[in-house]
Amino acid sequence: MALVPCQVLRAAILLSYCSILCNYKAIDMPAHQTYGGSWKFLTFIDLVIQAVFFGICVLTDLSSLLTKGNDSQEQERQLKKLISLRDWVMAVLAFPVGVFVVTLFWSIYIYDRELVYPKVLDNFIPAWLNHGMHTTVLPFVLIEMRTTHHQYPSRTCGLAAVCTFAVGYILWVCWIHHVTGVWVYPLLEHLSPGVKIIFFAAATVIINIFYLVGEVLNNYIWDTQK
């Protein structure tokens, strides 16, 4: 796919994420006023990650166009750094976290929506915004993977970074419960302490699996093994 269509596509995706974030933050929900605000929800954190990632993509495209035909070694060096940052965010955060949010949310939603997205939220969040937060993330990140080759870090470093993010968020959720006495997600209220540990461990394993899936898919699409 040519550079300009890809550039326009990424810019459109970035604008859509900005719109989703603005509309979500404009909603007057009680949960937004409690400890941690929107930042206690992985969905919101993922939206920020996706917006930042596509912002970096757009910046990379613009930088690439500006440096095209330019012999400045310094500009080339800065562009390579930007591309490396883009690829790292895609590999470690945008793909595994995005796929994890979509997969886990809809799996639990289909089983019992009250455990993850109580029906009362329909009074605050319209259906299109719900899909913007929990559905379109997956096709957007797959489109990006199909249109651009991303250089993945070494598997050890990549998995270590994903584990750090996962454990960090789990600790954040536990800290919020320690401070407020309320779990961020209703599902956790129904689990015993032992089952919670198993659930958190399984979630960490799953997000690492999604990292590996992203690496394999990236290699398959771009045939980097040859």
Side-chain angles (χ1 to χ4, degrees):
M1 190 174 289
L3 176 61
V4 173
C6 288
Q7 181 185 21
V8 173
L9 187 61
R10 293 187 188 104
I13 293 175
L14 173 61
L15 289 175
S16 71
Y17 276 122
C18 291
S19 175
I20 291 170
L21 282 168
C22 289
N23 279 277
Y24 178 74
K25 291 297 292 182
I27 296 174
D28 185 20
M29 285 198 307
H32 290 174
Q33 312 304 323
T34 56
Y35 185 83
S38 303
W39 292 98
K40 58 178 170 284
F41 300 113
L42 186 59
T43 292
F44 179 77
I45 295 174
D46 178 50
L47 287 175
V48 173
I49 289 173
Q50 302 298 330
V52 170
F53 168 66
F54 280 98
I56 295 172
C57 288
V58 171
L59 183 59
T60 302
D61 285 338
L62 291 175
S63 299
S64 180
L65 288 172
L66 292 174
T67 58
K68 190 175 183 180
N70 195 322
D71 295 330
S72 173
Q73 292 184 352
E74 177 60 24
Q75 289 184 351
E76 286 291 335
R77 188 171 66 86
Q78 295 300 326
L79 178 59
K80 287 180 179 179
K81 285 185 177 180
L82 198 56
I83 291 173
S84 295
L85 176 62
R86 179 201 66 187
D87 292 349
W88 187 90
V89 175
M90 172 65 171
V92 172
L93 295 174
F95 186 88
V97 177
V99 176
F100 179 84
V101 167
V102 173
T103 304
L104 193 65
F105 174 83
W106 287 112
S107 296
I108 299 175
Y109 186 98
I110 292 171
Y111 174 73
D112 184 356
R113 66 169 296 178
E114 293 299 319
L115 296 176
V116 67
Y117 192 81
K119 198 169 184 178
V120 66
L121 292 179
D122 291 341
N123 298 323
F124 300 94
I125 303 176
W128 72 266
L129 186 55
N130 180 29
H131 285 291
M133 296 188 297
H134 298 115
T135 305
T136 58
V137 173
L138 181 57
F140 283 168
V141 78
L142 289 176
I143 288 171
E144 170 59 22
M145 180 169 281
R146 178 62 185 86
T147 57
T148 306
H149 172 251
H150 297 275
Q151 185 66 43
Y152 268 61
S154 68
R155 185 166 293 180
T156 301
C157 292
L159 291 175
V162 173
C163 282
T164 300
F165 174 85
V167 173
Y169 180 70
I170 290 170
L171 292 176
W172 171 231
V173 169
C174 292
W175 174 255
I176 292 173
H177 176 262
H178 172 74
V179 173
T180 65
V182 178
W183 288 104
V184 173
Y185 303 103
L187 168 66
L188 297 174
E189 300 284 357
H190 301 277
L191 304 180
S192 66
V195 177
K196 282 188 182 73
I197 294 174
I198 295 174
F199 176 80
F200 287 142
T204 302
V205 170
I206 291 171
I207 198 171
N208 276 273
I209 290 175
F210 285 143
Y211 170 86
L212 297 175
V213 169
E215 182 183 44
V216 171
L217 186 60
N218 181 71
N219 290 339
Y220 174 77
I221 291 173
W222 297 98
D223 201 19
T224 57
Q225 297 298 333
K226 287 187 178 180

